[in-house]
Amino acid sequence: MVQYHRLIKKGEKLRVAVQQGSSGNATGGGGYLKSAKQRILSIIFLSFLCCCYFFSFSSFSLIDAFSKEVEGLVPYEQFIAPLCSGLSYGTICCDRTGFRSDICIMKGDIRTHSTSSSLFLFTSSQNKSKTPEKIKPYTRKWETSVMKTVQELNLVYRDQHHNNICDVKYHNIPAVFFSTGGYTGNVYHEFNEGIIPLFITSHHFNKKVVFIIVEYRNWWVSKYRDILSELSDYPLVDFNSENRTFCFKEAIVGLKIHNELSVDPSLTLGNKTILDFRNVLDRAYWPRIRGLIQEPGLSKPKLVIISRNGSRKVLNENLLVDLAEEIGFFVEVLRPDKTTELAKIYRSLNSSDVMIGVHGAAMTHFLFLKPRTVFIQIIPLGTEWAAETYYGEPAKKMRLNYIGYKIKPEESSLYDEYGEDDPIIRDPRSFTRKGWDYTKKIYLERQNVTLDLKRFSKPLSRAYKFSKQVVNSH
Ligand SMILES: *[C@@H]1O[C@H](CO)[C@@H](O)[C@H](O)[C@H]1NC(C)=O
Ligand SMILES: *[C@@H]1O[C@H](CO)[C@@H](O)[C@H](O)[C@H]1NC(C)=O
Ligand SMILES: *[C@@H]1O[C@H](CO)[C@@H](O)[C@H](O)[C@H]1NC(C)=O
Ligand SMILES: *[C@@H]1O[C@H](CO)[C@@H](O)[C@H](O)[C@H]1NC(C)=O
Ligand SMILES: *[C@@H]1O[C@H](CO)[C@@H](O)[C@H](O)[C@H]1NC(C)=O
Ligand SMILES: *[C@@H]1O[C@H](CO)[C@@H](O)[C@H](O)[C@H]1NC(C)=O
């Protein structure tokens, strides 16, 4: 929807046209008008020119009209950047109190300048205390190694008289700037650091917001397009490759994040929860899913196994499928990879009663499950903390019936490799304590699982009984 763009360039063209028109009139006119009819026509023509002139001027004087705040914006600052509440027009404010992210808010005559990675704020006052700010718009502030890779933006005060023409002007629509760099490329990080914080930061604008993406990636935009269009009505902007100047009256730089894959209602306008986020997903995928072949309604509860094939693979997955079918489930095995369309995964999980998977990024898809369904996370040795923190706790907040299935040493491939007396088996904590690298290199990258099906049948039967009740109650 481009009708909100106001192109100053158009104004320029108009003025050129007017000048040509006037000169044309000058050569032809001045006492040479012959009839009343011509006179009337010329009056009409002149009025038309005046209108053009007026219109072209009013286009230019938009800069004055621009020196007013965005009207009708909800008071969102206290939720996004509390330190910047009540920020006055013509200022930049950064709230750096958050552990996970910094957020800056700018109000005034804001203009992008991508070649210098800058956002300019034009002001007339010679206020010397107006110091520039720098910010990396990514939500892992505490993790210096990844933050080093994220592009920094300069937020700079500029003298109003600098000539920096607006190519695209948004009058009443704020902008949100964020990076799709960092760990983007892993579905957990994409939701945790990108999509959910984007919801938290922008939901209160009711889609009347422009997203400006720093370190824009085409595949990311295609993958998340459905969701993005539920959060913003406006075209996305690829900050780094745009050479046009975008102008706004209000901008938020950086995203607000609450916790792992979570939305904290007490920190949002209107007490939004992760279920409100899930409703966004449902609306986002509905048009696409409606167009897919509908799955037949099932009389049996449906169980989806999220299958991995590199490390942390369930080596006896076929037997697990047999067992689940024996118990009474309809079973579907999903192998999501980077190219799997999210709408298809959503369709599958939105119609399932139980999801099972081994701890890992693909567990992020629990967000696609309906509340009151069952999520069984298989937890390999040495991954308890990560499994509970990143997926177990957030799943409970989404009102899923979460079951963490901690494997016994005998179910781990590390057991065969090292034997029961090795500290890797006996005392995983002595390694995981030493840092994430140990967890990663030993327990995440080098471990497979062979489920003890007798043991696993207990949570599976529980999940079945529960699902059966839910299915029957419908
Ligand atoms: C200058 O800016 C600071 C904040 O940036 C503000 O507190 C102060 O009132 C301003 N002074 C003038 C004269 O505008
Ligand atoms: C913007 O950049 C493109 C390619 O980099 C170039 O073709 C175009 O002329 C530029 N436009 C302006 C207004 O500088
Ligand atoms: C949000 O929650 C607070 C505290 O629980 C309550 O006072 C307020 O009325 C709620 N607001 C809405 C819009 O539900
Ligand atoms: C998800 O499931 C619910 C309840 O079965 C249904 O109403 C909704 O339309 C589904 N969403 C999509 C996108 O298919
Ligand atoms: C895992 O699956 C992907 C695609 O589904 C495939 O390209 C890859 O080769 C598989 N890896 C292994 C170890 O089987
Ligand atoms: C885990 O299983 C897969 C598939 O059989 C295999 O390719 C991989 O090497 C195994 N990894 C370990 C650490 O045993």
Side-chain angles (χ1 to χ4, degrees), residues 134-147:
K134 285 177 186 293
I135 178 173
K136 293 187 168 191
Y138 191 64
T139 56
R140 288 182 87 86
K141 175 182 164 183
W142 79 94
E143 200 176 3
T144 39
S145 57
V146 72
M147 289 309 279

Side-chain angles (χ1 to χ4, degrees), residues 108-204:
D109 183 355
I110 302 157
R111 305 181 185 210
T112 60
H113 191 253
S114 65
T115 46
S116 65
S117 272
S118 300
L119 306 184
F120 294 143
L121 182 68
F122 285 79
T123 56
S124 50
S125 83
Q126 306 292 315
N127 191 333
K128 292 282 182 270
S129 71
K130 285 183 168 171
T131 49
E133 300 276 358
K134 285 177 186 293
I135 178 173
K136 293 187 168 191
Y138 191 64
T139 56
R140 288 182 87 86
K141 175 182 164 183
W142 79 94
E143 200 176 3
T144 39
S145 57
V146 72
M147 289 309 279
K148 269 187 202 149
T149 69
V150 174
Q151 185 178 339
E152 187 165 66
L153 295 179
N154 305 299
L155 315 184
V156 187
Y157 288 99
R158 281 237 144 170
D159 193 316
Q160 202 165 37
H161 305 294
H162 272 81
N163 193 19
N164 188 302
I165 285 173
C166 294
D167 297 308
V168 183
K169 197 158 195 169
Y170 284 96
H171 290 275
N172 272 303
I173 313 293
V176 172
F177 290 76
F178 62 95
S179 167
T180 53
Y183 288 132
T184 307
N186 165 304
V187 68
Y188 163 78
H189 293 289
E190 284 156 23
F191 275 94
N192 188 57
E193 279 113 64
I195 300 292
I196 294 178
L198 195 56
F199 169 77
I200 292 171
T201 310
S202 69
H203 71 89
H204 33 253

